[in-house]
């Protein structure tokens, strides 16, 4: 419940022991069909970190204590499984792509939680997908792999306020889906809560309700990440 994303870090780098523990935690997460179809790339080369800063627009990641990229990975299983037409077709399927994305995503959150239990803070980065072809090239990713999320992690140098989440009646339903209308009293109250949060938080104050925030997000150009589909196809997925 104490989670918040951390974007400012002390200069202290993570130790090898801390990195080992975080990867160990990631490996203990559940994995679809026990296929262990995700890999983790630690990025330590300053030039590569600078490129990640360019891709994400988050140059502050270069000052994190460590940087991980979580990768959906069916390539390792392709290498170790006996090859035949069926296994090859299966590895290229949407099902196996999703399994890799599930495993990589669950690993990411596991590292976030494990890090927080050690007093570390982090920010998950979907913005590594702003330029998928460049990222694939940067990390030498072979076919049947795909970069899912980045994670900047380190010793926190800020204590941001907790961002209030939706009231549970707007997101936890019983026995079936319940549609929310814009005038739902719970939503109106939540919009007011978020407005006060943005007005009062210590950094980057602004006037914004949750509904307005969502409208802004939806107005972004979907072409901005057009490289995702190209990248998936380049890596051997969604070609049919
Ligand atoms: C899949 C995913 C992708 C995200 N990508 C980014 C990102 O690229 N840059 C960033 O600054 N934060 C990113 N975040 C962090 C969210 O902005 C953050 O979790 C959200 O605003 C809620 O704030 P909190 O984590 O402090 O509670 C991402 C979070 C998730 C789950």
């Amino acid at each position: 419940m104490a989670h918040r994303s951390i974007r400012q870090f002390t200069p202290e780098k993570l130790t090898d022991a801390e990195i080992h523990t975080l990867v160990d935690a990631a490996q203990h997460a559940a994995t679809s069909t026990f296929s262990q179809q995700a890999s983790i790339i630690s990025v330590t080369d300053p030039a590569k970190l600078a490129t990640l800063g360019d891709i994400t627009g988050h140059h502050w990641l270069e000052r994190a204590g460590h940087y991980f990229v979580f990768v959906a990975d069916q390539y390792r299983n392709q290498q170790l499984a006996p090859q035949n037409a069926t296994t090859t077709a299966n590895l290229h399927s949407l099902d196996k792509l999703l399994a890799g994305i599930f495993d990589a995503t669950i690993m990411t959150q596991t590292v976030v939680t494990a890090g927080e239990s050690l007093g570390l803070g982090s920010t998950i980065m979907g913005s590594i997908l702003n330029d998928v072809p460049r990222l694939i090239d940067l990390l030498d990713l072979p076919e049947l792999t795909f970069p899912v999320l980045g994670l900047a992690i380190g010793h926190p140098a800020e204590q941001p306020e907790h961002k209030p989440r939706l009231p549970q009646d707007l997101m936890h339903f019983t026995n079936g889906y319940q549609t929310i209308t814009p005038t739902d009293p719970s939503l109106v109250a939540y919009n007011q809560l978020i407005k006060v949060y943005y007005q009062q938080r210590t950094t980057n104050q602004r006037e914004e309700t949750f509904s307005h925030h969502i409208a802004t997000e939806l107005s972004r150009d979907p072409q901005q990440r057009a490289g995702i589909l190209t990248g998936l196809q380049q890596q051997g997925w969604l070609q049919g």
Side-chain angles (χ1 to χ4, degrees):
M1 310 295 183
H3 163 79
R4 61 264 285 148
S5 293
I6 296 295
R7 298 180 175 85
Q8 289 177 42
F9 303 95
T10 70
E12 198 179 343
K13 294 291 168 194
L14 264 57
T15 63
D16 288 346
E18 284 168 331
I19 294 164
H20 187 273
T21 300
L22 293 173
V23 173
D24 205 7
Q27 288 197 283
H28 279 80
T31 162
S32 180
T33 65
F34 186 46
S35 294
Q36 305 189 63
Q37 53 238 305
S39 294
I40 302 176
I41 298 182
S42 278
V43 183
T44 60
D45 177 350
K48 291 198 176 197
L49 286 168
T51 303
L52 282 171
D54 285 344
I55 291 173
T56 59
H58 295 330
H59 276 283
W60 50 263
L61 69 81
E62 295 166 61
R63 295 185 291 279
H66 197 73
Y67 198 86
F68 292 116
V69 177
F70 295 84
V71 178
D73 183 4
Q74 299 293 1
Y75 179 72
R76 180 175 45 241
N77 288 345
Q78 184 192 44
Q79 296 305 300
L80 59 86
Q83 291 297 300
N84 61 48
T86 310
T87 55
T88 303
N90 275 340
L91 282 170
H92 289 260
S93 68
L94 177 60
D95 183 41
K96 290 294 178 198
L97 167 62
L98 285 176
I101 292 174
F102 295 148
D103 278 13
T105 305
I106 290 170
M107 275 192 179
T108 307
Q109 179 57 40
T110 301
V111 172
V112 170
T113 307
E116 286 170 357
S117 80
L118 297 172
L120 303 170
S122 60
T123 291
I124 294 175
M125 283 186 200
S127 44
I128 59 168
L129 300 182
N130 286 345
D131 191 343
V132 173
R134 193 172 173 197
L135 183 63
I136 288 170
D137 188 45
L138 183 77
L139 301 179
D140 306 315
L141 295 178
E143 65 160 352
L144 292 177
T145 61
F146 194 77
V148 179
L149 291 167
L151 187 73
I153 186 163
H155 295 271
E158 62 169 349
Q159 267 205 317
E161 292 87 353
H162 178 250
K163 262 188 194 169
R165 300 301 204 251
L166 287 165
Q168 290 196 7
D169 63 335
L170 297 187
M171 52 70 68
H172 176 207
F173 314 125
T174 304
N175 296 324
Y177 195 85
Q178 279 175 275
T179 301
I180 310 300
T181 64
T183 54
D184 187 302
S186 258
L187 179 63
V188 172
Y190 182 63
N191 270 330
Q192 183 57 26
L193 186 68
I194 289 295
K195 193 172 171 184
V196 171
Y197 159 78
Y198 277 127
Q199 280 169 343
Q200 295 186 348
R201 71 179 186 176
T202 30
T203 55
N204 195 14
Q205 290 174 348
R206 54 184 192 257
E207 281 288 320
E208 195 167 65
T209 65
F210 185 67
S211 296
H212 181 252
H213 165 68
I214 295 301
T216 309
E217 286 299 315
L218 295 183
S219 68
R220 287 185 201 278
D221 179 6
Q223 286 308 311
Q224 196 191 345
R225 291 189 182 167
I228 294 178
L229 182 58
T230 315
L232 280 167
Q233 290 169 336
Q234 177 187 330
Q235 296 301 93
W237 273 301
L238 304 184
Q239 291 173 332

